[in-house]
Amino acid sequence: MYDYANKTVFVSGGTSGINLGIAHAFAQAGARVVVMSRKQDKVDAAVAALKAHGGEAFGHAADVRDYAAVEAAFKDTATRFGAIDVLVSGAAGNFPAPAVGISPNGFKSVVDIDLLGTFHVVRAAFPYLAKPGASVINISAPQAWIPMDFQMHVCAAKAGVDMVTRVAALEWGAAGIRVNSIAPGPIEGTEGMRRLAPNERANQLITDSVPLGCYGTTDDIAQAALWLSSPLARYVTGVVLAVDGGWSLGGVSAMSMGLKKAMTGG
Ligand code: NAP
Ligand code: COA
């Protein structure tokens, strides 16, 4: 495993689920880790767990929709830990609902957290990123390129996230900054899957639709983030890396199967 000692890693939305798994993997690899999310109690719990690996960690309670708060978190991070070597933008919101069941404010909430929030995070971080050498990873989803029932807001937001990735990769390559997306498939034990597959039947339908035949783990995503941020991936930028057991290969029918049947009783 690549040694992340003396590297600073910032994870937005890093206080639970997949993003916390990423934060733990970097902490285990020796990095100083900073997490940011809305709820102070989640931030405190995550920081305590991350410190148990023996390194430095701290957190910020901030909403990614609030640009000034995001900017302040990066400024504070740079003051304490210096330049940011790895930035992960993972804060997101999701709920399953048919398009006509999503209010304008519901659509706006998800787009504001996922897409505008990702723009806020990468934009506000830029002055504090290590140049050259920083790795930026935006957490996307297969919904970014496969339309999925009950996910119009998320599909739209994550498609935008991947364009933020690509344009930033174009513009920031000259500064020696690599920018990529990771698109996790269905990951066990996460809030995202509790919402999208709320019962055993939906879980089974989703498992059946994944070519590798199982859910992924938060560590599957964390290992991809470790590799993507290491010198082993020095020539990789602007990509959307699916870590999804092949789920997205099945396209619309595979990805909607479990969710649509669970929601409609069909
Ligand atoms: P999760 O545990 O709910 O993680 C979301 C994180 O974002 C939490 O730390 C949450 O903490 C934070 N957050 C939410 N809204 C925020 C806001 N406005 N400002 C700042 N922080 C905010 O969910 P997860 O299922 O692990 O998903 C993590 C990421 O993976 C998301 O980007 C999601 O789209 C992506 N993903 C997940 C799956 C899956 O199978 N679960 C599949 C594909 C993609 P607070 O509540 O404290 O704010
Ligand atoms: N179906 C339809 N609409 C819903 C909904 C659902 N299940 N859940 C929320 N909404 C709507 C609300 O009704 C509201 O719209 P309205 O004002 O027109 O009534 C709008 O979404 C915003 O809801 P609110 O609770 O005020 O938003 P928030 O900013 O506090 O929270 C969410 C954002 C809705 C995405 C919330 O679920 C959240 O915080 N999620 C973070 C965790 C998460 O989703 N993790 C999964 C992985 S990404």
Side-chain angles (χ1 to χ4, degrees), residues 175-198:
I177 299 171
R178 298 182 299 108
V179 188
N180 295 289
S181 287
I182 291 177
I187 303 301
E188 69 186 13
T190 58
E191 182 58 26
M193 290 318 296
R194 277 190 283 280
R195 291 175 182 221
L196 295 186

Side-chain angles (χ1 to χ4, degrees), residues 16 38-39 42 63 65 90-98 101-107 109-110 113-114 153 158 190-193 195:
S16 62
R38 292 167 300 179
K39 297 173 190 138
K42 283 181 72 173
D63 192 316
R65 291 169 285 193
N94 193 0
F95 54 81
I102 304 173
S103 71
N105 191 42
F107 193 92
S109 293
V110 168
I113 300 169
D114 295 25
H153 46 346
K158 293 294 193 182
T190 58
E191 182 58 26
M193 290 318 296
R195 291 175 182 221

Side-chain angles (χ1 to χ4, degrees), residues 61-192:
D63 192 316
V64 291
R65 291 169 285 193
D66 178 350
Y67 187 77
V70 172
E71 214 173 16
F74 286 121
K75 203 169 181 178
D76 186 52
T77 300
T79 304
R80 292 180 194 230
F81 288 168
I84 296 167
D85 300 288
V86 178
L87 172 68
V88 178
S89 172
N94 193 0
F95 54 81
V100 293
I102 304 173
S103 71
N105 191 42
F107 193 92
K108 183 176 184 303
S109 293
V110 168
V111 170
D112 280 358
I113 300 169
D114 295 25
L115 176 54
L116 187 61
T118 295
F119 169 72
H120 284 171
V121 167
V122 301
R123 166 74 176 81
F126 182 78
Y128 306 106
L129 295 175
K131 302 178 194 73
S135 159
V136 177
I137 296 175
N138 296 322
I139 303 300
S140 180
Q143 287 95 315
W145 67 99
I146 308 283
M148 190 173 179
D149 293 270
F150 307 109
Q151 290 282 272
M152 184 184 276
H153 46 346
V154 174
C155 290
K158 293 294 193 182
V161 166
D162 287 345
M163 272 301 170
V164 168
T165 293
R166 293 182 181 108
V167 176
L170 269 182
E171 292 191 1
W172 298 353
I177 299 171
R178 298 182 299 108
V179 188
N180 295 289
S181 287
I182 291 177
I187 303 301
E188 69 186 13
T190 58
E191 182 58 26

Side-chain angles (χ1 to χ4, degrees), residues 3-82:
D3 183 5
Y4 281 92
N6 297 316
K7 301 287 184 190
T8 297
V9 177
F10 187 108
V11 186
S12 91
T15 61
S16 62
I18 290 171
N19 305 318
L20 178 58
I22 292 172
H24 272 298
F26 277 106
Q28 258 170 334
R32 300 178 285 254
V33 179
V34 184
V35 291
M36 181 181 77
S37 80
R38 292 167 300 179
K39 297 173 190 138
Q40 189 69 57
D41 58 333
K42 283 181 72 173
V43 171
D44 293 343
V47 168
L50 290 165
K51 279 184 173 164
H53 296 293
E56 292 179 89
F58 76 92
H60 280 278
D63 192 316
V64 291
R65 291 169 285 193
D66 178 350
Y67 187 77
V70 172
E71 214 173 16
F74 286 121
K75 203 169 181 178
D76 186 52
T77 300
T79 304
R80 292 180 194 230
F81 288 168

